[in-house]
Amino acid sequence: MTMVYTTCTRDCPDTCAVIAHVEGGRVVKLAGDAVHPITRGFLCKKTYQYPARVYSANRIGHPLKRTKSGWRRITWNEAFDTLAERLTRLRAKDGTLAVLHYQSAGSMGLLKALNQRFFNLWGGVTEAGGSLCSGAGVAGQLKSYGAVRRHAPQDLLHSRTILLWGRNPIVTNIHMVPFLKAARERGATVVVIDPRRSETVKYADQHLPIKPGGDAYLAIGLAQALLRQGLVDWPFVRSTTVNAAEYEQVLARVEPQTIVDRTGLPTEAIDALARLYGTQKPGSIHLGMGPQRWRAGAEVFQYIDALAALTGNLGVPGGGVNYSSRLPSLLDLSWLAEGRAHTRRFVLRASIGRDLLESGDPPIRLAWICGANPVTQALNSDLIRRALAQLECVVVSDISLTDTAQAAHLFLPTTTFLEEEDLVVAEWWHSYLGYVRPVIAPYGEARSDLAIFQGLAERLGFGAEMAGTPGEWISRLIAPMQGYGITLERLRADGWVQHPLAEDVPFADGRFFTPSGKFEFITKGLESFDPPVAYPLYMITAKTNTRLNSQVLDQERERLPRAWVHPEVLANVGVTDGADAVVESPYGSMRVRVQADAQQRRDTVFTEQGSWLSAGGTPNQLTGNVISNRGSLGAYNQVSVRLARGHSDASEACPKGAGLSGPARISSPLP
Ligand code: SF4
């Protein structure tokens, strides 16, 4: 048995240092590296189970082409010939904008950015931009601070009050938990603010089950209480912020009863939390994705940011409003060759179904989808399926036939992170770059994205411009880091290295990156969202500890999505615990298996992210094309639903492909 040190490239803030145990050329076990300052010897359940994904019976190890009689195995030569001929014909007839490149966070490897280089060298295509996860919150924090920065994970130990606001680290950021436990042992009070009684609540001192969409109102209520209780740090506000007077006017216009109605929380609870945060200092706020998944998501974050400014919990150890981080890039992004694109156009990732149907002149005729499964992860799944079914050609690269791949004409098998050399430079939560070392040989004939685009570039006549080993490309892209002593050789030797510009406490000098150089309070009023009478329930979709987005294990592909509902709601619609039911919205419906949960709110259906249509349903069958005011994020929470009795008995196994009925299920063969 050999042990190979690598880095997890999955869409997760923890960026773990992984030790792969290899026997006979196969990975038999994954473990966390105990020496890494954040990984500390353990991984999450999702990645402990990852070898089952690598060797899944559903994994595809060779290219496929759709024919009249179904999928046909083809060679890479045939795949490249087909693609080169089709791309060349399309460019001559409609121009390069008739091609859509849709890429998302299937892997956070740096070399995935070179996919864009390919399309830019080819002339520039329609690119999918915007956000499926964090964009509105980022836009909000850019307004408040002029930058998106968070404290180092270890700085949590300095906090005496910790607000986990819409964040569920047990599931989405598990390496935060040891810091959380240590902070509590040192006397910190931990409060979870979440509509759902999440898995993290058991590690907290208090849970505030806020009404969905009430986050900005809670922030306003807390600000009003801080003012009432004389807990505002006026010297800090006067010296370090702007717009305080206008912000106070906004606060004054919101009635106390509105706060209670919108948050579903009693005034006493809000007053007590304000007292805690305003007196037991320093206090840190840790935001998750949920509070910004609304049309006004950016403004929600600005209202929450304001609490730290009011109390002077900014720029001090143990403080901050921690969400994500965007340090200045130390990458040579000229390698993406944007200057070589003669033309480019953008559509939104989140509303890709609508945007495909309305792509304009030229209409999109070919979609190339990699590192992404928009049919389950973007808004309005059924519309996306219809839009993909109308295209002349859909190319999907993935490791198995996802819901999106079911709509493809060509399927290209890709490698997993255990089969690639790459680098992860994500620093949303910690600041360690991680070297991705190839652990095993590629599965079957699978190729990395880089190898796929290199092969196709050869056919299209610009192979020399895509040429290079993964190591050579890493070196080219990180060349600006050489001045800080970071080279490929060092990464290969050490496995990880801290980002040279990492900081423990942002804004410690009292300077911000806004136009004023100060913290800028929000001065805009709020919009609200109320479910209509016909669809009286909110829907909150949470991540689970066995799936990463739609990356699921085989056994999860086969089961209906679960929905957790208060027993009173079930009784009202005549559904029993454990039965199948249907969740309906104005946009579609989804089959679920319900679980009665008396600890959850009565006005909300809680369901799980990432379930597949082929398992019976996915929550994005229920979402419409609502995009955040700023940040181009899909407003996934801005949907109302109702629960109805299902058509099948609880004991009935989910029929395979039950959610894929209808004309969009099977694409026509490649014309
Ligand atoms: S998914 Fe996240 S927590 Fe799990 S191993 Fe990868 S980086 Fe670590």
Side-chain angles (χ1 to χ4, degrees):
M1 171 129 52
T2 54
M3 293 197 296
V4 186
Y5 290 73
T6 187
T7 298
C8 178
T9 67
R10 307 182 82 185
D11 182 19
C12 169
D14 294 27
T15 312
C16 287
V18 175
I19 305 174
H21 297 242
V22 182
E23 209 168 73
R26 284 174 70 91
V27 175
V28 293
K29 180 180 149 188
L30 296 179
D33 189 339
V35 180
H36 189 280
I38 304 295
T39 304
R40 295 175 166 203
F42 70 97
L43 305 176
C44 65
K45 186 174 178 184
K46 298 178 276 274
T47 300
Y48 279 132
Q49 296 175 333
Y50 198 76
R53 190 169 151 74
V54 174
Y55 301 114
S56 158
N58 287 312
R59 185 142 182 215
I60 309 286
H62 42 74
L64 294 173
K65 186 178 194 172
R66 189 179 293 284
T67 68
K68 281 192 180 125
S69 53
W71 289 112
R72 177 170 69 81
R73 178 175 179 168
I74 59 172
T75 63
W76 278 106
N77 273 339
E78 184 177 348
F80 288 143
D81 287 344
T82 304
L83 283 163
E85 186 272 331
R86 184 157 289 267
L87 286 171
T88 304
R89 191 150 43 90
L90 253 183
R91 180 159 66 176
K93 181 167 163 274
D94 296 299
T96 57
L97 292 182
V99 171
L100 167 70
H101 170 218
Y102 189 106
Q103 185 173 343
S104 193
S107 162
M108 302 310 293
L110 175 63
L111 298 191
K112 304 299 175 194
L114 294 172
N115 301 2
Q116 244 183 53
R117 174 176 172 83
F118 170 89
F119 287 108
N120 287 335
L121 292 174
W122 188 62
V125 298
T126 303
E127 291 281 351
S131 170
L132 296 181
C133 52
S134 62
V138 167
Q141 294 217 310
L142 284 172
K143 278 278 188 189
S144 299
Y145 312 113
V148 181
R149 299 287 163 81
R150 45 100 194 115
H151 290 228
Q154 297 88 337
D155 186 60
L156 196 62
L157 301 182
H158 296 123
S159 297
R160 296 188 61 230
T161 299
I162 297 169
L163 308 188
L164 299 174
W165 200 319
R167 188 151 169 165
N168 184 16
I170 290 286
V171 168
T172 60
N173 184 194
I174 195 163
H175 293 85
M176 183 186 195
V177 175
F179 296 109
L180 207 54
K181 284 183 182 168
R184 268 187 99 198
E185 280 164 19
R186 293 163 69 132
T189 304
V190 178
V191 181
V192 169
I193 301 167
D194 196 322
R196 186 171 151 264
R197 191 171 176 82
S198 72
E199 295 82 349
T200 299
V201 169
K202 62 175 177 279
Y203 293 94
D205 298 280
Q206 194 188 349
H207 171 218
L208 293 182
I210 188 173
K211 190 172 180 176
D215 302 275
Y217 286 94
L218 176 58
I220 290 171
L222 288 169
Q224 291 174 339
L226 289 166
L227 284 161
R228 265 198 315 273
Q229 295 176 33
L231 296 175
V232 172
D233 183 342
W234 288 113
F236 182 89
V237 170
R238 285 190 203 101
S239 65
T240 319
T241 74
V242 295
N243 304 334
E246 295 91 328
Y247 166 68
E248 271 195 83
Q249 286 168 14
V250 174
L251 298 183
R253 286 200 291 271
V254 184
E255 296 293 331
Q257 189 56 44
T258 305
I259 302 291
V260 172
D261 293 344
R262 290 283 167 200
T263 62
L265 300 171
T267 305
E268 300 73 37
I270 297 172
D271 282 350
L273 182 60
R275 195 158 46 249
L276 178 73
Y277 182 64
T279 57
Q280 192 171 296
K281 298 205 282 191
S284 58
I285 298 175
H286 303 266
L287 290 166
M289 304 286 176
Q292 48 104 56
R293 291 175 136 203
W294 300 84
R295 183 162 31 215
E299 289 83 18
V300 172
F301 270 36
Q302 285 180 263
Y303 278 107
I304 296 174
D305 292 339
L307 298 173
L310 275 183
T311 52
N313 274 310
L314 276 181
V316 294
V321 183
N322 301 275
Y323 175 53
S324 187
S325 174
R326 302 282 190 280
L327 291 173
S329 170
L330 291 177
L331 299 171
D332 182 356
L333 297 178
S334 69
W335 287 107
L336 303 190
E338 286 184 7
R340 295 285 297 279
H342 304 303
T343 178
R344 280 173 108 200
R345 163 174 82 168
F346 289 88
V347 293
L348 292 184
R349 282 193 185 94
S351 54
I352 190 60
R354 181 190 66 190
D355 288 12
L356 274 174
L357 292 172
E358 299 173 359
S359 57
D361 186 22
I364 290 167
R365 302 199 187 280
L366 183 149
W368 189 306
I369 301 170
C370 41
N373 186 7
V375 168
T376 67
Q377 299 305 108
L379 297 166
N380 205 334
S381 301
D382 293 330
L383 190 68
I384 298 170
R385 290 163 64 212
R386 282 208 297 280
L388 291 176
Q390 290 179 21
L391 298 183
E392 288 176 13
C393 182
V394 178
V395 184
V396 172
S397 54
D398 211 311
I399 69 166
S400 65
L401 293 174
T402 62
D403 287 339
T404 301
Q406 295 284 358
H409 299 91
L410 273 176
F411 176 84
L412 307 178
T414 50
T415 41
T416 66
F417 79 89
L418 297 174
E419 300 151 50
E420 298 175 345
E421 182 176 19
D422 210 327
L423 179 70
V424 184
V425 290
E427 26 83 21
W428 329 325
W429 178 59
H430 70 71
S431 305
Y432 291 91
L433 284 63
Y435 173 65
V436 184
R437 196 183 312 271
V439 171
I440 49 173
Y443 178 89
E445 298 171 15
R447 296 187 181 192
S448 67
D449 282 6
L450 177 60
I452 291 172
F453 284 111
Q454 286 176 327
L456 187 54
E458 280 288 337
R459 293 292 201 289
L460 292 169
F462 55 95
E465 293 186 271
M466 286 296 292
T469 64
E472 286 166 344
W473 276 112
I474 292 171
S475 291
R476 290 168 189 160
L477 286 161
I478 66 167
M481 294 191 191
Q482 276 182 18
Y484 297 93
I486 298 176
T487 61
L488 176 65
E489 292 67 36
R490 181 173 164 202
L491 287 162
R492 280 177 172 163
D494 295 351
W496 67 83
V497 59
Q498 189 154 34
H499 192 293
L501 304 181
E503 55 195 359
D504 285 350
V505 178
F507 316 123
D509 58 2
R511 287 210 295 268
F512 296 85
F513 297 87
T514 53
S516 64
K518 299 190 172 194
F519 176 90
E520 298 196 354
F521 280 107
I522 183 168
T523 57
K524 191 178 170 200
L526 265 182
E527 68 169 59
S528 322
F529 173 70
D530 293 304
V533 174
Y535 297 94
L537 301 168
Y538 296 98
M539 180 179 76
I540 296 292
T541 305
K543 297 198 179 198
T544 71
N545 66 0
T546 54
R547 303 173 169 175
L548 209 150
N549 301 330
S550 64
Q551 294 183 2
V552 302
L553 293 176
D554 290 350
Q555 59 267 32
E556 299 244 335
R557 287 169 61 151
E558 304 297 332
R559 69 162 174 77
L560 279 177
R562 293 168 294 182
W564 291 265
V565 185
H566 194 279
E568 280 181 20
V569 178
L570 292 182
N572 286 344
V573 290
V575 174
T576 53
D577 184 17
D580 289 1
V582 178
V583 184
E584 299 169 331
S585 82
Y587 307 102
S589 63
M590 166 178 77
R591 290 178 61 215
V592 295
R593 186 150 296 167
V594 294
Q595 293 192 10
D597 188 343
Q599 292 191 308
Q600 304 297 359
R601 295 184 59 86
R602 290 171 173 78
D603 56 4
T604 307
V605 172
F606 297 94
T607 185
E608 53 187 343
Q609 206 213 50
S611 49
W612 288 28
L613 283 168
S614 50
T618 186
N620 278 314
Q621 289 178 287
L622 303 169
T623 52
N625 286 292
V626 184
I627 300 295
S628 62
N629 294 334
R630 288 185 281 129
S632 302
L633 171 75
Y636 294 90
N637 288 345
Q638 192 118 357
V639 62
S640 55
V641 300
R642 65 187 174 207
L643 192 68
R645 279 200 278 184
H647 305 295
S648 58
D649 183 75
S651 60
E652 181 193 335
C654 170
K656 269 196 175 178
L660 285 173
S661 59
R665 182 183 179 189
I666 300 293
S667 294
S668 53
L670 198 57

